[in-house]
Amino acid sequence: GGIYQIGMTMSKFKIAVNTTELENFRAGFFNMHIKEIGFYNDNDDTTTPGMAVASDEVVPDTLSKKEAESKRPMLLKMLLPVAKLLFSEKANRRRSAMKIMREKRNMSRVQAILFGIKIRQSSMGLFGSVAKTVGILSVDIARAVVKNVLKIVFLYPLRLIGGIIRTMKKMLGMKVKPSLRE
């Protein structure tokens, strides 16, 4: 538990029922001195020292996570699980760690995997460590298979169609922009 990080967003807009732009707003860098950070209290109207008090203005409520998820378009609801499978932060960190182990520590892929098992063994035991590694490898293999299938089904045909269109334009004497891969 506990708070590890606080983020803040500054905006030139005044958030209320009718969102308006702040008067005398000047874009650019600025210094800000924070005197106090407090919290809103949802339980009752009384405040304790150090708590921020909401102004009398009506501020629109933000959507809960459940409400925001229910308002997503159907296409997004279907694509998000696939995107989560393909673009995982944990997988990116594992890939970076594997690259470091292979390039800087001159380990083979098998040596790096065995190193991971050995490191996890102290916290979860040998069986747990091997099971975790097998789970990671199976998810990574599934991710690689899905990515390659998507490349074959979508990317390569689109590249082929783009190449055909560019070739036809060149044959017709039209100006052709170079592809992004060139």
Side-chain angles (χ1 to χ4, degrees), residues 49-120:
M51 294 187 102
V53 180
S55 66
D56 292 337
E57 294 183 26
V58 179
V59 178
D61 289 333
T62 57
L63 296 176
S64 70
K65 183 177 180 181
K66 191 174 183 179
E67 291 171 329
E69 287 174 355
S70 69
K71 290 190 177 219
R72 287 182 181 151
M74 186 56 69
L75 182 63
L76 188 59
K77 287 180 184 178
M78 292 181 340
L79 291 178
L80 273 177
V82 176
K84 285 180 183 177
L85 175 69
L86 297 178
F87 307 106
S88 162
E89 183 60 33
K90 284 184 179 181
N92 289 339
R93 287 197 302 265
R94 280 196 303 271
R95 192 178 308 117
S96 295
M98 180 63 78
K99 184 176 181 183
I100 290 169
M101 292 170 121
R102 294 188 72 190
E103 292 177 0
K104 299 204 172 161
R105 295 191 179 180
N106 296 322
M107 290 183 166
S108 69
R109 183 175 297 276
V110 173
Q111 288 173 324
I113 291 170
L114 292 174
F115 177 76
I117 291 172
K118 184 177 174 185
I119 292 295
R120 279 190 217 96

